[in-house]
Structures are given as structure tokens and as C-alpha cells.
Amino acid sequence: MSNTLDLDGVAAFLRAAEFSSFTRAAEALGTAQSLVSTRIKKLEEALGQLLLQRHPRLVRLTAEGERFLPAARDLMAAHERALTSFRQVQERITIGISEQAVGADAPALLARLARHDPSLVIGLRIEPSAALDTAFERGELDVAVIRRLGSGRTGEVLRRDAFGWFGAPSLTKPNGPVPLVSLMPECRLRRHAMEALDSAGLPWREAFIGGGMAAVLAAVEGGLGVSPLAARIAPRGAIDLGPDWGLPALDTFEVVLRSNVATPRANAFVRELAAAFRAG
């Protein structure tokens, strides 16, 4: 076992463990996947331990990797504190995220990413995609992560999500109108779902309108109705009832990143954010 550890190797290990992917780790670090793999291999050789199990599309922590993870985080946090000891001015970045793009855990996601640069002050706005698009155009946001249907303004497509009609397994097909659970009236996906039902000639009723995704997901879990959701943010245990109920197919939406940051620190954070959404 070596008496010194390569910090680049530790950073690569942390990102690979966080994203369960060498590809996403490389994207977050702004480097090549092969270099990430090489750095982690050298770190494992220095420690004399296998930290990650490699699979074709996924990497997982070994028991030794689990043991090393807290110490690695502490080491990189101390390194970051040392680097920022003499910084006089904090840098601020204002981010807008659509809850339909990330689910109810947007604050937790940003908090996790912010650990990589504690001196970066993050302002967060969670609003419908249309409002965030407008705010970005006005210069009120440095970064916007939105859900887009069809063509739009410039932006980097992070992923494409297919949607279904998710509800509790105990929910039975109604004899009358489809009970719809959705976000506030400004939500584009809500409008799209209503238009799809209208086009299919299926009557519907608003069973629940939530002010946020946490409320929507709770209503779905509680069996109040079906909601147009991406599988990745649907409540655990919820199922797509669309095929059994004969509901119309919903379009695929893009998750798009729009950014006008210019500084190296802000760009590094945006790379982390993009990798997190791609890993989704």
C-alpha cells in the first residue's frame, strides 16, 4: 500500500461511485472515460484493494469501496477547503429546475452536488418549464433545466423520457371519467395529457392538482387517480395503467439544459449537474 494517494484518482473514484458509471464520471470531471478508469485502477493499486466492480453498463462499490467512500469524501472536502482558504469573494449561480424534470428531490440533488464546491453559493428556483424558459431569456437565471416537448430554443438535450399513466396498483378502471392527478395549470405536461384524452374521446376529471411534485406523488400513492409521469420519477410501486385502461400514448419529452455561465467554477458545477441528469 502506498503512503500517498493521488487526489485525481480519489476524485475519479468518488464520481464513479456517485454516478455508477465511468462515462458520467468522466463527463462530470471534464475528461476522458479511459483516463477515469486508469486513475481509479492506479488508486486501487496504491491502496491494495479493489474498490469498484466493473460491469458492462454499470459499476458498483465493493465492500472495500464502501469502507473507503466516507474517507475519500472527507479527503476531497479538506482539499477543497485548502484551495478556497484565501478566496475573498464567493461566487453565486442561480439555477432553475422543473420538478417534472427531476422529481421531488431537486433540492437534495443540488445539495449533493454543492458538496464538491462549498464556496459556490447556489440559488434555486423550482417552477414550471415555461416560466423557467422565460426567466432564462430575461437573464434572471444562469442555468435552467427544463422539460421540452417538440422544438424550442437552444439548449443541450440531457435525456429523453417516455411517459405513462401511473397510478397505485389497487386503482381500478373507473366506469366514468378518468381521474387525473397533475401539477398546477401552468404545467405543459398537464395540458398535453388533457389534450391526449380529449383527442381520444375519453372523458376525464381533475381528481387532484398539486402545487409540487411531492404532493402529486403522494396523491398517486394514495390512489386518487392516474398521473402522466416518467417512470424514473413515479412513486415506488406505482404502475403504468395506460395499457389496461386504454389510455392514449403520451409523447416523449426532452430534458434540456440551458446555461450561460462563463467562469471555470460555474462551468465545473454545470458539468456535474449535466452528468447527474444524464445518469438519471
Side-chain angles (χ1 to χ4, degrees):
M1 177 174 174
S2 173
N3 290 325
T4 60
L5 296 179
D6 175 49
L7 291 176
D8 288 335
V10 177
F13 162 74
L14 284 176
R15 297 306 190 279
E18 194 170 281
F19 296 121
S20 300
S21 165
F22 285 165
T23 301
R24 299 295 166 245
E27 182 179 0
L29 292 167
T31 189
Q33 179 180 335
S34 59
L35 186 56
V36 168
S37 180
T38 298
R39 285 173 174 170
I40 294 174
K41 184 174 179 58
K42 288 182 177 179
L43 176 65
E44 291 175 325
E45 291 172 351
L47 291 169
Q49 302 288 343
L50 181 67
L51 302 176
L52 296 170
Q53 288 284 358
R54 281 78 164 168
H55 301 282
R57 299 190 177 207
L58 191 69
V59 295
R60 294 188 184 278
L61 287 166
T62 62
E64 291 76 15
E66 292 278 6
R67 289 177 57 193
F68 181 63
L69 188 62
R73 285 173 174 158
D74 290 343
L75 175 60
M76 295 310 297
H79 179 249
E80 182 60 32
R81 287 196 300 271
L83 289 177
T84 59
S85 297
F86 302 105
R87 285 180 183 163
Q88 299 299 315
V89 180
Q90 289 184 317
E91 188 170 334
R92 183 179 181 86
I93 182 171
T94 304
I95 298 173
I97 295 182
S98 164
E99 274 196 296
Q100 278 284 12
V102 69
D105 58 350
L109 168 66
L110 289 182
R112 174 169 59 84
L113 297 179
R115 286 201 302 264
H116 302 311
D117 188 352
S119 63
L120 189 65
V121 180
I122 300 171
L124 174 63
R125 287 172 58 174
I126 300 178
E127 296 177 12
S129 293
L132 295 178
D133 236 356
T134 300
F136 184 85
E137 289 293 319
R138 291 175 177 169
E140 298 170 8
L141 297 173
D142 301 306
V143 180
V145 180
I146 61 174
R147 190 174 292 288
R148 178 184 292 165
L149 174 65
S151 60
R153 299 185 178 93
T154 58
E156 176 187 0
V157 177
L158 300 179
R159 68 168 188 266
R160 291 175 173 84
D161 286 341
F163 280 71
W165 300 91
F166 283 88
S170 59
L171 198 62
T172 57
K173 183 178 180 180
N175 294 323
V178 175
L180 185 62
V181 173
S182 64
L183 278 173
M184 66 286 291
E186 296 83 0
C187 176
R188 291 174 177 171
L189 180 57
R190 175 179 181 271
R191 295 199 301 270
H192 175 63
M194 292 175 174
E195 290 167 0
L197 291 170
D198 287 340
S199 296
L202 295 175
W204 53 271
R205 64 179 177 84
E206 290 188 314
F208 183 88
I209 301 175
M213 281 304 300
V216 168
L217 299 183
V220 171
E221 285 185 293
L224 297 185
V226 295
S227 182
L229 295 170
R232 61 176 302 278
I233 65 172
R236 182 173 296 180
I239 58 175
D240 184 0
L241 296 170
D244 288 343
W245 287 21
L247 302 179
L250 296 169
D251 289 334
T252 297
F253 281 68
E254 295 177 340
V255 175
V256 177
L257 170 72
R258 304 190 69 194
S259 172
N260 62 6
V261 300
T263 69
R265 291 174 63 202
N267 270 312
F269 182 85
V270 171
R271 284 202 309 271
E272 295 269 3
L273 185 66
F277 272 92
R278 289 188 195 279

